[in-house]
Amino acid sequence: MKRTAESCMVVSTLIATGVFSAAFSLPGGNNDNTGSPNYLEKASFLVFALSDTMALISSTSSILIFLSIMISRYGEEDFRRSLPLKLMSGLMMLFISIISMMVAFSSAFFVTYYHGLKWVPVFIAVLAFVPIPIFVFLQFPLWSDIVYSAYISSSLFRSSKRMIR
């Protein structure tokens, strides 16, 4: 669990770094006279701003969740409820940050390159979403193992207080 948290924390940190820098190097640049973004009126720029913010918030949240796993005291009761819940929450925040980062990338690509051939930004946007099902496919066994071991199998062997039902 600790190695998984460390690896996911590295990925979350890389996402947070990328989307943080993307927030300040806006697609299309700034207007020299006013200092405001050039494509502020475009809907794709609004999508970029919202998805970039969502990616930053969710990746930072996942960093904090994975950090709490790493500094946990690793008691017996922690392995029963707390740590599996934290790991599932961290993976969910990481998944949300990956999706948001891909939406931000696609919308930034639309803002920048939608002037020429219209099919090129659409094609790139579709390709940008390829990592999302790959992440789901690769992480689903881990997710299902956590759910099964923490919530399903533990309830099978839980002792009941009553002798007669």
Side-chain angles (χ1 to χ4, degrees):
M1 188 172 289
K2 190 174 184 177
R3 283 185 294 144
T4 302
E6 287 174 355
S7 299
C8 291
M9 190 169 157
V10 168
V11 173
S12 296
T13 305
L14 289 171
I15 291 172
T17 304
V19 297
F20 183 81
S21 66
F24 294 104
S25 58
L26 300 172
N30 292 332
N31 187 337
D32 291 334
N33 297 332
T34 63
S36 65
N38 286 329
Y39 298 115
L40 190 59
E41 299 84 26
K42 292 184 80 170
S44 54
F45 185 81
L46 178 64
V47 171
F48 166 77
L50 293 174
S51 60
D52 195 65
T53 303
M54 185 67 187
L56 181 63
I57 291 169
S58 58
S59 64
T60 305
S61 298
S62 68
I63 290 170
L64 294 173
I65 292 169
F66 291 131
L67 184 63
S68 73
I69 291 173
M70 291 173 51
I71 61 172
S72 176
R73 55 193 173 119
Y74 295 106
E76 183 178 336
E77 191 60 34
D78 291 341
F79 281 101
R80 187 169 302 189
R81 291 278 180 221
S82 174
L83 290 175
L85 182 64
K86 287 178 183 178
L87 188 57
M88 287 190 308
S89 302
L91 286 172
M92 184 58 69
M93 286 289 123
L94 179 60
F95 182 65
I96 291 170
S97 68
I98 290 172
I99 291 173
S100 301
M101 178 185 65
M102 291 303 166
V103 170
F105 169 77
S106 298
S107 60
F109 207 83
F110 266 89
V111 167
T112 309
Y113 297 106
Y114 199 64
H115 307 295
L117 298 172
K118 304 290 185 201
W119 66 271
V120 173
V122 173
F123 180 70
I124 297 297
V126 169
L127 284 180
F129 286 95
V130 170
I132 295 169
I134 291 173
F135 180 80
V136 169
F137 179 73
L138 293 175
Q139 295 300 321
F140 183 74
L142 173 64
W143 181 270
S144 63
D145 286 346
I146 293 168
V147 170
Y148 182 77
S149 65
Y151 298 105
I152 296 172
S153 68
S154 66
S155 66
L156 291 176
F157 301 107
R158 191 171 295 150
S159 61
S160 64
K161 303 275 183 196
R162 299 179 287 168
M163 294 289 288
I164 300 173
R165 290 186 186 245

